[in-house]
Amino acid sequence: MYIIDSKTIVTPQNGLNIYRGRTESSIISMEPEITDIGVKPEADILLAGTLKKRKSKGMILAGNMGDPYNDLEKEYGLMRKSLRYISFYDFGIVITTRRELLLRDIDLLKEINRKTKAVVEIPIPSIEIEKLKLIDGGSLGERIALMESLSKEEIPFIINIYPLVPYVNDDPVVLKSMLGVLQSYKPAAIDLGGAKIPLIKKQMDFFYLEYQKRFPEEYGKYIDVHGRSKEIIIDSEIELRDEVRRTATKIGALWSPPEILDWKRKYENKQMGDQITFDFGTE
């Protein structure tokens, strides 16, 4: 762990980055070389000052630079403190997390959702326990606990089927079975994301190294067909999207990535009408 001395906490595009660094063993990482976790200990104070000055309300995005409910959050409680200010100043929140620790703050999420909108994104690339650990790290049990509690409390959540790894979790038949299980939790959206994932140089090196290490047989098949390309190519994209569309339509959930993105961006003031927020971004 290391301390980040920062003067800002929210990006111009409303990204909230309290922690920085890779907090889970994902096969795809935005910053693969950063395995330690950095923390901004004054994050809540910086956030309060920022939100107080904002002339327009909007949706705040937490979790794009690392899971905000990592183990350090147990000690620092910065996400909970931040949620208090987000609620006080009537902003909305979108949180991406794999961790059950989020349920500690269910009271604040309910409070925000009554006034504006609170959304939780849960990455679930597989419900096969060993594959999940190798693709994205973390526990399936924690994610199920999240879905159960959020559904019970009527807090909308998105199932994010990402990342798709060729020959590992891209079989349409297996996905159909997985969706049959997940639909019972009543997600607001099921997001397959991009079936072709571009990789910048450092991501590319990290991904192929980890792909070969974690799934050597599948890696060999992929290299034989596609080589070491600059994007991850999923051959079954159309079939996968059809399965997601059918399941989502049946339960009244969103499934189109552009529509899901628009929905997340839209700020809803349930007390005074609707406004439109800013695009998301990163620091």
Side-chain angles (χ1 to χ4, degrees):
M1 188 272 288
Y2 62 96
I3 300 296
I4 300 173
D5 184 15
S6 178
K7 303 295 183 184
T8 61
I9 193 65
V10 180
T11 72
Q13 297 79 25
N14 280 16
L16 173 63
N17 296 316
I18 297 171
Y19 301 100
R20 187 181 184 90
R22 183 153 49 89
T23 59
E24 59 284 326
S25 181
S26 177
I27 198 170
I28 297 177
S29 178
M30 291 298 294
E31 297 181 284
E33 75 280 4
I34 300 178
T35 55
D36 198 3
I37 304 174
V39 58
K40 300 178 181 179
E42 302 297 322
D44 57 318
I45 305 303
L46 290 170
L47 180 63
T50 299
L51 297 185
K52 184 177 180 180
K53 295 175 184 177
R54 286 283 174 93
K55 295 180 180 179
S56 299
K57 306 299 183 183
M59 297 297 292
I60 303 297
L61 173 66
N64 59 325
M65 297 297 289
D67 199 316
Y69 285 97
N70 63 74
D71 289 340
L72 287 182
E73 174 62 17
K74 296 177 183 178
E75 175 185 352
Y76 285 90
L78 292 170
M79 193 63 213
R80 181 168 181 82
K81 294 174 184 176
S82 296
L83 287 173
R84 286 198 182 105
Y85 286 118
I86 288 168
S87 178
F88 181 79
Y89 288 108
D90 292 332
F91 279 72
I93 182 71
V94 179
I95 302 172
T96 301
T97 185
R98 303 151 176 79
R99 306 297 295 276
E100 192 177 358
L101 181 58
L102 173 136
L103 299 180
R104 177 201 65 189
D105 300 335
I106 199 79
D107 57 328
L108 292 173
L109 293 177
K110 289 168 64 177
E111 183 179 294
I112 293 169
N113 200 50
R114 281 195 298 268
K115 297 187 292 181
T116 60
K117 185 164 65 181
V119 180
V120 179
E121 286 197 75
I122 308 172
I124 309 180
S126 175
I127 59 171
E128 298 177 74
I129 293 175
E130 290 307 314
K131 282 188 178 180
L132 178 65
K133 287 180 181 179
L134 290 171
I135 294 171
D136 196 45
S139 160
L140 177 61
E142 285 196 77
R143 299 175 214 223
I144 289 174
L146 282 175
M147 291 189 293
E148 287 178 339
S149 295
L150 293 171
S151 181
K152 179 181 177 182
E153 300 295 346
E154 299 184 338
I155 295 172
F157 66 92
I158 299 168
I159 293 174
N160 193 336
I161 304 174
Y162 175 90
L164 289 170
V165 182
Y167 303 104
V168 176
N169 64 330
D170 63 341
D171 185 326
V173 175
V174 176
L175 178 68
K176 181 179 181 179
S177 176
M178 171 177 158
L179 291 172
V181 174
L182 297 180
Q183 68 179 347
S184 64
Y185 297 101
K186 301 178 182 178
I190 303 173
D191 193 356
L192 192 65
K196 289 186 178 180
I197 307 170
L199 299 170
I200 61 175
K201 181 62 167 64
K202 60 183 178 180
Q203 286 178 303
M204 181 176 171
D205 292 341
F206 178 82
F207 169 72
Y208 284 111
L209 179 64
E210 292 300 313
Y211 190 9
Q212 184 176 22
K213 183 192 305 181
R214 301 179 193 203
F215 303 102
E217 183 177 343
E218 293 82 354
Y219 169 83
K221 291 179 182 178
Y222 181 80
I223 293 299
D224 286 345
V225 176
H226 296 289
R228 201 171 181 272
S229 58
K230 292 182 179 180
E231 62 180 7
I232 304 167
I233 300 169
I234 303 297
D235 295 326
S236 55
E237 174 184 359
I238 295 175
E239 293 90 339
L240 294 173
R241 291 202 183 281
D242 282 346
E243 289 298 342
V244 169
R245 175 183 54 79
R246 279 192 287 266
T247 300
T249 301
K250 183 169 64 175
I251 63 174
L254 296 173
W255 62 272
S256 167
E259 289 183 358
I260 294 171
L261 187 59
D262 287 345
W263 174 67
K264 289 192 299 184
R265 287 175 172 174
K266 186 178 182 182
Y267 171 74
E268 298 178 11
N269 188 326
K270 296 175 182 177
Q271 303 171 96
M272 298 179 63
D274 294 345
Q275 300 177 37
I276 302 297
T277 185
F278 320 97
D279 290 345
F280 291 152
T282 59
E283 283 186 317

